Amino acid sequence: MLPAADNRYLTRTGRGTPMGALLRRFWVPALLSAELPTPDGPPLRVRLLGEDLVAFRTNDGRVALLAANCPHRGASLFFGRNEDNGIRCVYHGWQFDAAGACTDMPNEPAESNFRHEVRATAYPCVERAGVIWTYLGPAGTAAALPDLEWALLPPGHLVVSKRLQECNYLQAMEGGIDPSHLSFLHSKKEAPPQPLESGGIRFPPYMALDRHPRFETLETPYGVLIAARRRAGDDGYYWRISQFLQPWYTIFPADPGLPLGGHAWVPIDDEHCWTWSFSWQADRPLTAAELADMQSGLGIHAHVDPKTFRALANRDNDYRIDRADQRSGSYSGIRGIGEQDMATQESMGTTYDRSKEHLGVSDAAIIATRRQLLRLARALEQGVAPAAAGDGAAYRVRSAAVVLPRTTPWRAGAAAALIARTPQQTSATTSAGATA
Ligand code: FES
Ligand SMILES: [Fe+2]
């Protein structure tokens, strides 16, 4: 269990909260680049960490992200005119550029200097891997983009999707660092239990045959390394090693040759988050069959409404649970790994009261991750910034699933397999607003 005060501390992310301050020290995956497809296109409403924002692509192709309310008298810039490398509020015509400078104030006297006294809050944006990232941290602080393996791949190697999740980010993320649930929620209901194969995700037989793995966790410069040990025959262990990467990423392994996967769990506000999903092949482009698997809706990429990114199977229709399938087919009766996760995590309430939970040894990774986040946020309150936020290279890791002799320590046996295959840092392509 987690004391109620710690639960509040970890789950409140608005501006002015300790956890909100910590999360704002890291770059935020904010939008798909495809959501702003063309220069001078319609602005988008964006909500991140409880802040209402407006994004637009200027006519020279940069992405801008401004506080939603016009600094004049607060009308929403969502209704603004995206023109002349800025956004013009339709209420009285004030215009702001991508850095937040007021470039025109047509309803004030021409000789007035007032426009130089007014700024819109603007956040820097960069694009990498089809994702628009932003930095919401305080002016004057800098963060490095994380060199996540998937984020450095060329087009064709990666599928990115996002879906709305109607619960607190931590609750969703704790599913991503909970290897124990894979043998249940994402399994088939058969005797003997069978591994699940769907949507490009394949769990080997060890997962179904040994459903109470032993866990080891290890704190790292970027987060937490999570090793789950299952029996593999008489002499071996199947080690499934995944990572939590500060402040909201998780990645998971695959058998050799299969795409790797991962998520980002980003607060929209304290009751909603974006669940980003990534599938990739570092060494080659994804094949047509792999892409079809990912688009099937059976894996981590849910079928969503293209405008709202809400899953079509959602809490309003009980995630389309099929009780007949639950009796005879899948363990959950819910189609799709993403929807299975969503059903269980959203069913806990928007923010679960963790003072009521009963954690077992299988929850070791959750305990380690909470401790780390608490420690980092408390340190920041004392003026110590999180080191990983400034060290993009710390993120050059990948997950691994390996069978090792029982006598081989997993850290040594899996060391080479845990290094990312994309060592070259690529430069971000676009920036706007203040330098970060
Ligand atoms: S409220 Fe935006 S210009 Fe007046
Ligand atoms: Fe899951």
Side-chain angles (χ1 to χ4, degrees), residues 250-270:
T250 58
I251 51 176
F252 60 82
D255 281 359
L258 295 179
L260 291 168
H263 298 283
W265 319 86
V266 178
I268 296 170
D269 50 35
D270 293 338

Side-chain angles (χ1 to χ4, degrees), residues 69-77 88-96 107:
N69 295 106
C70 173
H72 177 214
R73 280 174 39 216
S76 176
L77 295 173
R88 188 181 293 280
C89 179
V90 291
Y91 202 175
H92 311 94
W94 292 18
Q95 190 188 39
F96 301 91
N107 68 334

Side-chain angles (χ1 to χ4, degrees), residues 175-176 178 181-182 185-186 203 263 265 300 337-338 340-341 344-345:
D178 167 21
H181 82 280
L182 305 180
L185 180 64
H186 304 316
F203 296 131
H263 298 283
W265 319 86
I300 59 174
I337 288 174
Q340 291 160 6
D341 284 328
T344 49
Q345 293 156 11

Side-chain angles (χ1 to χ4, degrees), residues 161-392:
S161 68
K162 71 173 198 182
R163 62 177 160 80
L164 175 70
Q165 185 144 342
E166 295 168 84
C167 70
N168 183 262
Y169 84 101
L170 185 67
Q171 202 160 300
M173 187 171 81
E174 286 180 347
I177 52 174
D178 167 21
S180 164
H181 82 280
L182 305 180
S183 297
F184 299 90
L185 180 64
H186 304 316
S187 71
K188 291 181 184 169
K189 180 83 176 69
E190 289 179 18
Q194 295 296 308
L196 182 81
E197 284 187 38
S198 65
I201 307 280
R202 191 167 79 211
F203 296 131
Y206 316 115
M207 304 283 287
L209 295 172
D210 184 349
R211 302 212 285 180
H212 44 87
R214 298 290 181 85
F215 291 98
E216 293 182 30
T217 62
L218 187 72
E219 293 220 28
T220 63
Y222 58 79
V224 178
L225 200 50
I226 305 155
R229 190 191 85 186
R230 291 176 168 86
R231 292 185 306 277
D234 293 334
D235 306 320
Y237 285 133
Y238 174 69
W239 289 98
R240 198 175 163 84
I241 305 163
S242 53
Q243 286 95 343
F244 158 68
L245 304 107
Q246 297 166 14
W248 41 43
Y249 304 100
T250 58
I251 51 176
F252 60 82
D255 281 359
L258 295 179
L260 291 168
H263 298 283
W265 319 86
V266 178
I268 296 170
D269 50 35
D270 293 338
E271 288 80 40
H272 305 83
C273 66
W274 290 122
T275 299
W276 289 83
S277 298
F278 312 94
S279 302
W280 70 95
Q281 284 282 9
D283 303 327
R284 60 166 173 79
L286 294 162
T287 64
E290 287 170 339
L291 290 168
D293 274 342
M294 288 161 199
Q295 286 153 5
S296 69
L298 293 170
I300 59 174
H301 301 281
H303 285 166
V304 299
D305 177 303
K307 200 168 163 60
T308 62
F309 296 95
R310 192 178 193 223
L312 303 181
N314 55 53
R315 60 170 24 149
D316 293 343
N317 53 28
D318 289 330
Y319 310 90
R320 297 175 174 162
I321 189 168
D322 179 339
R323 297 290 183 182
D325 182 56
Q326 190 182 53
R327 272 192 297 277
S328 59
S330 77
Y331 193 84
S332 66
I334 294 169
R335 181 186 186 275
I337 288 174
E339 288 86 345
Q340 291 160 6
D341 284 328
M342 215 169 10
T344 49
Q345 293 156 11
E346 292 180 352
S347 73
M348 297 158 72
T350 52
T351 303
Y352 183 58
D353 176 358
R354 292 174 172 80
S355 69
K356 293 183 175 159
E357 67 190 4
H358 298 82
L359 299 181
V361 292
S362 62
D363 298 304
I366 288 169
I367 294 167
T369 301
R370 288 179 190 170
R371 273 196 194 131
Q372 186 173 89
L373 287 172
L374 282 169
R375 196 182 66 236
L376 291 170
R378 286 175 180 145
L380 185 58
E381 285 193 275
Q382 302 303 314
V384 180
D391 183 7

